[in-house]
């Protein structure tokens, strides 16, 4: 069996491909970075390091603020996964929470959470949904699904001249060719 031999499609392969397709339709990595940024921000103010017989407490006066910032970042990360339409709001909120975490929670979780939140927030703001694969467009076009009415002219980016405005029976009143400027005239 060589590396080019395709493996039998099993349950694991199918689930992996489904996860890959799901991950490709949303800002997955941005959500993961934002989610992971909340963990050190919320953890370090409550942690006690044991160095031999010496206990180093890193508690701050704003321990509750650190916990709130950390929980909010975790919630924003999860919302980036499951509600991709809030990506700009969640990204900006993650960046602002990262900046607030510097004075509140031990330099933003010793800069680990701060940097993760900045990178994740920037990735969330910059992410844009891609075009659906060509196979999906063909299936929607053939079935007629999609909800949009069919148009006769699919190219709407170029303005085309309107046919029939130069005739004398133009009743629109807005044609400069017949001397009207758009105002109605009474008989």
């Amino acid at each position: 069996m060589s590396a080019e031999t395709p493996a039998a499609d099993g349950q694991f392969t199918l689930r992996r491909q489904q996860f890959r397709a799901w991950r490709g339709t949303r800002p997955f990595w941005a959500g993961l970075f934002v989610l992971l940024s909340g963990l050190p921000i919320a953890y370090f103010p409550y942690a006690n390091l044991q160095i031999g017989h010496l206990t180093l407490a890193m508690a701050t006066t704003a321990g509750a603020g650190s916990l709130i910032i950390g929980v909010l970042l975790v919630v924003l990360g999860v919302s980036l996964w499951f509600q991709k339409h809030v990506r700009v709001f969640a990204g900006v909120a993650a960046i602002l929470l990262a900046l607030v975490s510097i004075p509140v929670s031990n330099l933003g979780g010793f800069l680990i959470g701060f940097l993760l939140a900045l990178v994740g927030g920037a990735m969330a703001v910059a992410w844009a949904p891609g075009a659906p694969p060509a196979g999906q467009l063909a299936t929607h076009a053939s079935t007629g699904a999609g909800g949009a009415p069919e148009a006769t002219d699919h190219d709407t980016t170029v303005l085309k001249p309107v046919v029939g405005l130069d005739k004398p029976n133009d009743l629109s009143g807005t044609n400069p060719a017949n001397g009207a400027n758009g105002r109605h005239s009474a008989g």
Side-chain angles (χ1 to χ4, degrees):
M1 180 175 219
S2 69
E4 288 83 23
T5 306
D9 285 336
Q11 188 70 15
F12 177 75
T13 305
L14 178 67
R15 295 293 181 204
R16 186 179 58 84
Q17 289 173 347
Q18 288 175 344
F19 175 70
R20 186 176 182 188
W22 175 82
R23 189 185 70 199
T25 60
R26 59 201 70 245
F28 177 78
W29 293 107
L32 183 67
F33 284 167
V34 171
L35 184 138
L36 290 178
S37 72
L39 299 178
I41 289 175
Y43 174 74
F44 285 138
Y46 294 101
N48 292 327
L49 291 178
Q50 295 287 336
I51 303 173
H53 293 290
L54 178 66
T55 301
L56 179 63
M58 294 174 283
T60 62
T61 57
S66 300
L67 183 64
I68 290 171
I69 290 171
V71 169
L72 283 175
L73 285 170
V74 169
V75 169
L76 286 172
V78 171
S79 69
L80 280 170
W81 284 349
F82 296 108
Q83 296 178 355
K84 60 185 174 184
H85 60 278
V86 299
R87 65 180 173 81
V88 175
F89 168 76
V92 171
I95 291 171
L96 291 176
L97 285 172
L99 293 172
V100 168
S101 74
I102 290 175
V104 171
S105 65
N106 296 329
L107 293 174
F110 296 118
L111 297 179
I112 298 168
F114 169 72
L115 291 175
L116 284 172
L118 280 183
V119 170
M123 288 171 66
V125 171
W127 183 84
Q136 288 181 351
L137 290 177
T139 58
H140 287 302
S142 65
T143 60
E150 291 294 323
T152 57
D153 186 12
H154 295 288
D155 185 17
T156 59
T157 58
V158 178
L159 294 176
K160 295 180 176 65
V162 179
V163 180
L165 286 181
D166 56 346
K167 295 180 183 176
N169 63 354
D170 179 33
L171 299 178
S172 68
T174 60
N175 189 359
N178 64 3
N181 63 0
R183 297 183 182 156
H184 296 283
S185 59

